[in-house]
Amino acid sequence: MKIYDTIDAKKKEFVPVKEGKVGMYMCGMTVQDRPHVGHMLAFVSGDVIRRYLEYKGYEVTYVQNFTDVDDKIIARANAEGVDFRVIAERYTRDYFTFADMLNIKRATIHPKATEHIKEIVDLVAALVAKGFAYEAGGDVYYEIAKFPGYGRLSKKKIDELRAGARIEISEHKRNPADFALWKAAKEGEPSWETPWGRGRPGWAIECSAMSMKYLGSSVDLHGGGEDLIFPHHENEIAQSEAVTGQKFVHFWAHNGLLNLVGEKMSKSTGHFFAIEDILKEFEPDVVRFYLLSSHYRNPMEFSRDRLADARAAVGRMRNTFRAVEAYVGDGKVVGSVEALEGADLEFWKGIAAKQDLFIKVMDDDINAASAVGHIFDIAKDINLYLGGAETKSKKIVLAKALDKIKELSGVLGIFRSIGGEIVRLEDLPQELKDLVDERTRARGAKDWAQADALRTQLAAQGYFLEDRAEGTIVRKGS
Ligand SMILES: [Zn+2]
């Protein structure tokens, strides 16, 4: 299996440090606002890498942090007249709500910066003690000239780094590109006691501290959007390697960014691309499917047309599931593929070949967009094979083929709403049944916005609706 590594700028054979185990770190949200679609693109990309590693049999420890103290969080708290924690907690909750809906697995550990102040201060102190950092005016800066490897990831040269958009200006710095590990307390800001007086952490230091705490000196894979390459990830390397003397990250897996240029901003709030708003228009399965429609390293154009295409594709897959379920019938089909012969055997061989192709493209730098195509090819085979005389072995092989789609789409986290078990309306908990009834009434009154909102509410709890001629059916998410 090969994964592209940003530092070496090529695909490399993926071999973890410890056999059978993978340590993966993903830079998480700065919880200052509602998550937008671009954030979720990064987390879906990381989630698929993790799921595929697990599918390959690795035991993955996945760490994704929350930056819960930061300039923007503090500014927002001051604007609202609340404690910064109120803001951080609100948007941390939001993250989980929408990540759950998009079927992004919870990390093994979700550490928060404010809960690791001791580790952060210890790391800053170690960098000062080793001569890589200096205190000035209550701030502590990393002196990049002391770290020869600085710029290796971003391919930037130190002497070309001037104060610019992403470089903070400060009178205390020895070099404009030196970056703050620790910031002296300002009036009205949260702060913690340290050897350099009260203050709060800079941005990148928390990721080094938390990564080392939970994953050790070296991690196998570190993910995040490519906008984090400089300075954030460059700084993480400098901080970590200066202290441990070991290679901090073996594979830097950066995802391409979501490009919003093509889509007109028709609202002035700046919240137009909040995932919450997109999920009011499109089912979670559709949004996730859309986010996987190009290779994770490629930039992606935000497009409602492509979301509509994704909706159509999910609908086609749903039809295949329905058709097989109708063919196979309600009774569970028991049987093994070992006993197949003739046309059934040929059909099954075709399915197995498509699974091989799925694995081949996923082994080639996690090409989920191509992998989706192979899942649809299985569906195409199924659609062609349906019909004709009903035999028990044909039912068996079709049910197995459907299971194969479930297995492979589970690796990508897609089609969660499709394959789940059908729950009878009367077996639903009362409050969920009420929501379904309310939606049926909204549909009757042609109040589509309300109907969609109720569908979203049910999806958030793992229940998915299918509207059929004979009425709405409910599936529990698989
Ligand atoms: Zn980070």
Side-chain angles (χ1 to χ4, degrees):
M1 168 180 185
K2 285 192 160 68
I3 295 183
Y4 185 90
D5 171 34
T6 309
I7 278 208
D8 289 345
K10 64 177 181 197
K11 289 178 201 172
K12 301 190 306 191
E13 192 60 34
F14 181 77
V15 184
V17 177
K18 285 186 204 148
E19 205 189 326
K21 291 180 199 286
V22 173
M24 182 166 173
Y25 190 93
M26 182 79 190
C27 288
M29 297 271 306
T30 297
V31 275
Q32 54 163 7
D33 204 343
R34 297 188 297 167
H36 62 64
V37 194
H39 293 129
M40 289 333 217
L41 174 63
F43 300 127
V44 166
S45 302
D47 184 56
V48 167
I49 296 175
R50 178 226 192 135
R51 283 172 183 262
Y52 189 60
L53 290 167
E54 288 175 343
Y55 183 67
K56 299 281 279 188
Y58 292 111
E59 185 192 316
V60 181
T61 305
Y62 194 86
V63 179
Q64 182 181 317
N65 67 306
F66 286 108
T67 299
D68 61 345
V69 58
D70 149 279
D71 291 346
K72 292 191 190 114
I73 296 171
I74 294 165
R76 182 157 200 152
N78 290 342
E80 289 189 22
V82 296
D83 188 84
F84 78 100
R85 290 179 200 87
V86 173
I87 303 296
E89 280 162 22
R90 181 197 300 158
Y91 295 116
T92 300
R93 265 198 312 278
D94 264 14
Y95 168 79
F96 282 127
T97 301
F98 303 116
D100 287 351
M101 284 176 75
L102 290 173
N103 205 16
I104 297 167
K105 286 174 74 170
R106 299 273 175 128
T108 319
I109 305 153
H110 276 289
K112 296 176 179 171
T114 60
E115 289 169 3
H116 295 79
I117 297 295
K118 187 189 175 306
E119 288 83 354
I120 291 169
V121 170
D122 287 351
L123 180 56
V124 175
L127 286 164
V128 172
K130 282 181 167 266
F132 286 94
Y134 57 93
E135 188 267 342
D139 297 335
V140 181
Y141 294 100
Y142 191 101
E143 188 166 12
I144 59 164
K146 293 278 172 67
F147 186 73
Y150 198 82
R152 245 191 91 207
L153 178 69
S154 56
K155 320 289 183 247
K156 287 183 191 294
K157 295 196 173 66
I158 292 181
D159 48 11
E160 287 170 4
L161 297 174
R162 295 282 172 270
R166 305 222 58 176
I167 294 186
E168 287 178 67
I169 299 162
S170 161
E171 50 186 306
H172 301 299
K173 289 183 185 180
R174 291 180 188 167
N175 178 313
D178 289 352
F179 60 91
L181 298 169
W182 192 262
K183 297 176 175 185
K186 293 199 194 92
E187 188 63 32
E189 288 189 357
S191 63
W192 290 264
E193 198 59 59
T194 74
W196 322 283
R198 292 191 73 83
R200 63 183 169 91
W203 178 29
I205 192 71
E206 67 180 74
C207 286
S208 286
M210 298 191 286
S211 179
M212 285 196 259
K213 172 167 180 176
Y214 296 107
L215 299 169
S217 307
S218 289
V219 307
D220 294 301
L221 224 131
H222 189 125
E226 65 181 16
D227 54 334
L228 298 179
I229 292 175
F230 185 84
H232 187 63
H233 289 162
E234 197 71 74
N235 293 354
E236 284 184 29
I237 295 172
Q239 293 160 166
S240 306
E241 296 191 359
V243 164
T244 65
Q246 291 178 45
K247 188 171 178 149
F248 176 47
V249 170
H250 291 277
F251 285 81
W252 283 99
H254 290 106
N255 65 276
L257 303 182
L258 193 73
N259 178 6
L260 304 177
V261 177
E263 188 85 358
K264 265 196 208 137
M265 280 273 188
S266 64
K267 284 183 188 168
S268 56
T269 57
H271 289 323
F272 192 43
F273 298 103
I275 193 69
E276 181 175 3
D277 296 339
I278 305 300
L279 284 169
K280 280 178 190 151
E281 278 181 68
F282 297 93
E283 286 175 76
D285 249 1
V286 169
V287 176
R288 180 162 175 125
F289 185 88
Y290 157 72
L291 291 174
L292 289 175
S293 60
S294 70
H295 189 276
Y296 78 91
R297 280 196 292 115
N298 292 340
M300 197 172 179
E301 192 81 30
F302 181 82
S303 151
R304 281 200 160 63
D305 288 346
R306 285 188 55 195
L307 272 159
D309 292 346
R311 177 186 273 159
V314 171
R316 283 198 301 278
M317 186 58 79
R318 185 168 282 144
N319 288 340
T320 297
F321 270 68
R322 276 191 205 179
V324 175
E325 284 167 358
Y327 189 89
V328 170
D330 282 341
K332 289 255 184 282
V333 192
V334 187
S336 120
V337 289
E338 313 297 323
L340 294 174
E341 51 189 31
D344 294 330
L345 180 61
E346 284 312 305
F347 169 77
W348 183 247
K349 282 181 180 166
I351 303 298
K354 282 163 191 88
Q355 176 175 16
D356 292 345
L357 290 171
F358 175 97
I359 289 169
K360 193 170 165 225
V361 296
M362 288 298 279
D363 273 350
D364 183 13
D365 195 23
I366 321 283
N367 194 343
S370 285
V372 166
H374 296 304
I375 297 178
F376 270 95
D377 285 344
I378 296 180
K380 210 184 285 172
D381 282 5
I382 290 175
N383 294 336
L384 287 172
Y385 200 54
L386 276 164
E390 286 183 21
T391 63
K392 186 174 178 239
S393 70
K394 189 164 179 176
K395 286 184 178 185
I396 290 170
V397 79
L398 281 166
K400 296 282 183 196
L402 207 59
D403 285 347
K404 192 53 78 183
I405 292 187
K406 285 187 201 175
E407 174 192 325
L408 301 182
S409 52
V411 176
L412 305 180
I414 52 174
F415 305 142
R416 180 169 169 242
S417 66
I418 292 176
E421 217 169 297
I422 295 172
V423 188
R424 293 187 312 174
L425 220 50
E426 53 269 36
D427 293 337
L428 277 176
Q430 190 59 40
E431 57 171 289
L432 296 180
K433 188 176 175 302
D434 290 346
L435 290 177
V436 177
D437 291 342
E438 212 180 317
R439 179 172 173 277
T440 305
R441 279 195 296 278
R443 280 169 60 84
K446 298 200 179 338
D447 184 352
W448 308 119
Q450 172 68 359
D452 283 350
L454 289 160
R455 172 199 282 273
T456 303
Q457 229 176 308
L458 281 153
Q461 299 180 61
Y463 290 87
F464 301 92
L465 306 180
E466 258 179 54
D467 298 311
R468 296 182 175 183
E470 66 270 25
T472 298
I473 66 148
V474 182
R475 289 181 191 269
K476 185 150 176 35
S478 51

